[in-house]
Amino acid sequence: MSAHEVVAAYWAAAEARDWDTFGELIAEDVVYEMAQTGERVRGRDAYVRFNRDGFPGDWHLAVRRIVAEGSAAASWIDFSEEGVTETGLCFFELDADGRIARVSDAWPQPYEPPSDRAGLVERFQPGDH
């Protein structure tokens, strides 16, 4: 699959809460960073749990646009929950096997993450790699 197809499948699996398919698209050693909260998640299992368990509620997402070139892609999405919609920009890097190896999210407003995610993430300062 192309980077565009992988990212489209990733978002489709997330919206469907199909965590098995979602996990198949992720590299074993994936690194996810969310600059707005300063959270970093390492590893496929933790990242799947982060998404599956870290966002309870009746949320939905809609992809506005995916742009891809080679092994990199960016997406513009709308994330909606309880009548509130936020726009996110998400940047992806794929590994040699075509799995998502790195995800960096950018959301409009910083906030303190929920305490129940503490066991899944490490905190970082934006710009710290």
Side-chain angles (χ1 to χ4, degrees):
M1 282 195 285
S2 69
H4 187 281
E5 293 168 324
V6 170
V7 171
Y10 167 96
W11 288 124
E15 172 63 21
R17 285 24 166 224
D18 180 352
W19 303 118
D20 291 335
T21 298
F22 186 88
E24 291 170 7
L25 298 166
I26 307 297
E28 184 67 37
D29 59 349
V30 68
V31 175
Y32 168 79
E33 292 182 339
M34 187 177 351
Q36 106 194 65
T37 62
E39 293 175 288
R40 180 179 293 129
V41 179
R42 295 179 189 272
R44 177 189 298 141
D45 292 340
Y47 188 53
V48 170
R49 284 185 19 234
F50 175 84
N51 283 278
R52 183 190 67 216
D53 303 338
F55 300 95
D58 185 26
W59 55 264
H60 295 280
L61 57 88
V63 176
R64 287 189 183 201
R65 187 171 186 187
I66 298 171
V67 177
E69 183 175 334
S71 62
S75 65
W76 176 8
I77 66 164
D78 288 329
F79 180 90
S80 301
E81 183 177 24
E82 297 180 11
V84 177
T85 300
E86 294 189 39
T87 298
L89 300 175
C90 309
F91 301 89
F92 300 85
E93 297 174 25
L94 277 58
D95 65 13
D97 296 325
R99 287 191 173 87
I100 297 169
R102 186 170 196 87
V103 182
S104 300
D105 279 359
W107 296 86
Q109 297 295 324
Y111 67 90
E112 279 300 307
S115 61
D116 62 352
R117 294 200 306 227
L120 297 173
V121 304
E122 62 185 69
R123 298 299 297 272
F124 77 100
Q125 293 296 316
D128 171 30
H129 296 281

